[in-house]
Amino acid sequence: MTLKLHVITCSTRPGRVGPHIAQWFASLARQHSQFEVVLIDLDEFNLPVYNEPEHPVRQQYQHAHTKNWAASVNAADAYVFVTPEYNFGPPPSLLNALNYVYKEWNYKPAGIVSYGGVSGGLRSAQILKQTLTTLKIMPMVEAVAVQNVSALISENGQFTAGEYHISSAVTMLDELYKWAQALKTLR
């Protein structure tokens, strides 16, 4: 059975570049051919600031948006978070989405494709890793960092990856596949 990889666009703000990078990564992941790749956009789930009356560990979701999000998270065997850096950390939309569910995340690996200015979103990725481990998600050491992202997006929205982006992505996908196979035995 093919493992399912969700490539999640984490920014929800108007004018974001995350979808362009996510599309590039998803295309590369499909060529890698170890996963069934699904593009997920947090913006499409329209999650308000966490508003469930029960703790997520109980899985007693009241709202349709939570049920839809929980089903999406549960369907994946691995994740890649395509995330910007906001004030040296992950965007609020991602942290909110992570907090909505708990058991659906457990015992799955995650890669990070970060983007930003000179740092390439590395500070965001480091903080995100701490949050992921609390949800029993295994963050990969291997990652993709996109520095000076605005210079790599064409006027028509095409992301132009460098060779180092591609080689980093392939290395991360190789590791994600190993971890996804191993962690599936724990679920």
Side-chain angles (χ1 to χ4, degrees), residues 9-183:
T9 301
C10 299
S11 174
T12 59
R13 72 170 180 79
R16 63 205 169 121
V17 299
H20 307 300
I21 299 167
Q23 289 168 0
W24 162 76
F25 186 86
S27 176
L28 187 72
R30 287 183 184 108
Q31 292 172 17
H32 188 263
S33 73
Q34 294 297 321
F35 292 100
E36 175 189 340
V37 180
V38 179
L39 270 170
I40 302 292
D41 189 341
L42 284 184
D43 193 45
E44 293 175 6
F45 286 89
N46 201 26
L47 295 171
V49 173
Y50 188 77
N51 67 346
E52 284 290 332
E54 298 289 337
H55 191 284
V57 77
R58 300 181 86 191
Q59 296 181 300
Q60 295 176 359
Y61 308 126
Q62 304 299 311
H63 303 292
H65 57 259
T66 309
K67 292 174 185 176
N68 292 337
W69 177 238
S72 176
V73 172
N74 196 53
D77 297 297
Y79 311 98
V80 168
F81 296 102
V82 178
T83 185
E85 180 175 293
Y86 289 5
N87 299 317
F88 292 11
S93 53
L94 173 54
L95 294 174
N96 187 51
L98 289 169
N99 288 330
Y100 254 92
V101 298
Y102 178 72
K103 290 183 179 179
E104 293 84 351
W105 294 116
N106 293 177
Y107 306 112
K108 298 176 185 178
I112 300 171
V113 176
S114 63
Y115 59 93
V118 173
S119 77
L122 290 175
R123 296 168 294 214
S124 173
Q126 285 304 107
I127 291 171
L128 177 57
K129 286 179 181 183
Q130 291 177 323
T131 304
L132 296 179
T133 60
T134 304
L135 297 166
K136 298 183 183 179
I137 299 172
M138 179 61 196
M140 299 296 94
V141 171
E142 298 75 15
V144 179
V146 180
Q147 295 176 297
N148 300 315
V149 67
S150 59
L152 301 174
I153 304 287
S154 69
E155 286 185 25
N156 67 354
Q158 184 76 24
F159 171 66
T160 304
E163 184 54 43
Y164 50 93
H165 297 124
I166 296 166
S167 63
S168 295
V170 169
T171 301
M172 184 175 71
L173 284 164
D174 289 343
E175 285 299 303
L176 263 177
Y177 183 69
K178 291 174 194 174
W179 281 93
Q181 288 179 302
L183 290 175

